[in-house]
Every structure is written in structure tokens, then in C-alpha cells.
Amino acid sequence: MVPQNPHGTDPAPAKSTGQVQVVQNTGLEYTDIQGKLVAIPARSVVEIRMPEDSNGSPRFELSYQNGDYSLIPTQAMHLLRSGREPMDVRLVRSTQAQMRLPKL
């Protein structure tokens, strides 16, 4: 399976001028803008990008192992570090221009 590449360049992660940290976690929970709690297991997530220059509600972008992306507006986000099957996930603080989701 060839990973998707929205920008038509090298599939390597985009360079970031912000902070990058790899953390072990077991899952991610977030509260969407309607107030619903959503849980995502860490086994499917490779990278979480958080733009520092977003206006309005907090947003984050998920990159999955299969090459898919999600851009999610939230009220709150929780990284779960205890539990079964911890995985290494990259946390990246970047600008909106450095997000990996295709520009619309």
C-alpha cells in the first residue's frame, strides 16, 4: 500500500519549525464541537499536529498508519498514557501552513 501524499512531494513528514516530541500513549480522547466524547486508539495514529496559529476553537490533525488524515475541531483533547498496548506517537506543534491535510 502506498501512503497518500496530498502535496505531491516526498512522503517524508513535513519539516516543522515548532516543537516535535514522541510520546507513548494508548489512546486519544477528544470532545467535539457538539460536546460528544470520541475515543481513538493509539495503534492507528502515527502523528498528531496541532497548529499554533488557529483562530477560534482548538483543532488538531491526525495522520493514520494507512495514510489517511483527519482535521478535527475540538473543545478539548486528552492523550491517554496508561492502559494496554502503548504506541509511539509524534506530537507536532506547527503553523497551519505546515499541516499535512490538503489545502482546500
Side-chain angles (χ1 to χ4, degrees):
M1 172 187 258
V2 176
Q4 296 177 357
N5 189 359
H7 302 292
T9 59
D10 183 22
K15 292 181 182 178
S16 173
T17 58
Q19 296 175 328
V20 177
Q21 183 175 358
V22 177
V23 297
Q24 274 201 346
N25 68 355
T26 59
L28 167 73
E29 289 183 349
Y30 66 91
T31 305
D32 66 14
I33 55 176
Q34 288 83 25
K36 179 182 173 191
L37 184 65
V38 179
I40 299 173
R43 70 178 177 270
S44 61
V45 177
V46 175
E47 183 176 84
I48 302 170
R49 286 186 172 264
M50 299 163 286
E52 293 180 330
D53 57 351
S54 66
N55 297 329
S57 67
R59 301 189 304 164
F60 64 93
E61 178 185 64
L62 299 178
S63 297
Y64 300 96
Q65 286 180 343
N66 65 1
D68 289 342
Y69 302 92
S70 295
L71 182 60
I72 304 169
T74 67
Q75 291 182 20
M77 181 177 89
H78 314 279
L79 288 176
L80 307 177
R81 296 173 46 148
S82 61
R84 298 181 353 176
E85 301 181 38
M87 302 290 292
D88 287 339
V89 176
R90 284 175 42 106
L91 297 178
V92 181
R93 283 203 178 270
S94 64
T95 63
Q96 286 192 18
Q98 293 172 318
M99 301 299 281
R100 296 173 55 87
L101 194 74
K103 291 177 177 57
L104 302 174

